[in-house]
Amino acid sequence: MWKYDINSSLEIKQEGKKYIILWQHPLTGEFRKCEAEPYQLLALKIVSDDLDIKELSVEEGVHPQYFYKILLAAERDGLLIKKESLIKRGDTVFENAWFPSDIYKVADVFVLQWHITNRCNYSCLHCYNDLSVPELTLDQAFYILDSFYDFCNLMGVHGQISFTGGNPFLYPYFFDVYYKAFTLGFSLAILGNPVEEDELKKVG
Ligand code: SF4
């Protein structure tokens, strides 16, 4: 997941019961001053204390997406600055490649396209799915999610999971896995076959 630094120009002053923040926005260069909103103070605390969102959400009984939104809002305010991810195209492999800008050498998002099942409700002639491959247990699927979460945290990159198959809706634990992936803060997509509207509403 994305890692942040606190804007180095930021100052916080206490005036009575209020906290006043002053900073220069990193994109516009504009100087700003305002009374700190609770979400801004929380975002600054999360970053300054390097709190883990997964643990924080368990401690506070609050959905992790709440904290991710707070961090994004503070980044938009210019209070936080996203750290560059550690996933980069190496100069040795792309020595002679031309890039219009160095930003294209760094991945901001890492996508896991996850073939979670080979089960399918179609039988296309060209299909290469192998139904003899054993399916993951729920514990194994959760282990993969936790490992992917740790990987994204380590590399400072936002994770996206695209569930596919076969038809991912036919994986017996699909909704458990999808919900856990959502609570971990990943962006999610489903690359499957058409399903009934009621099924779609479960992931809506
Ligand atoms: S997995 Fe795709 S290609 Fe294979 S049978 Fe299902 S729909 Fe067809």
Side-chain angles (χ1 to χ4, degrees), residues 118-129 165-167 193:
N118 281 334
R119 296 182 201 214
C120 189
N121 39 351
Y122 294 137
S123 311
C124 305
L125 288 176
H126 59 266
C127 184
Y128 53 78
N129 261 353
N167 184 356
N193 298 335

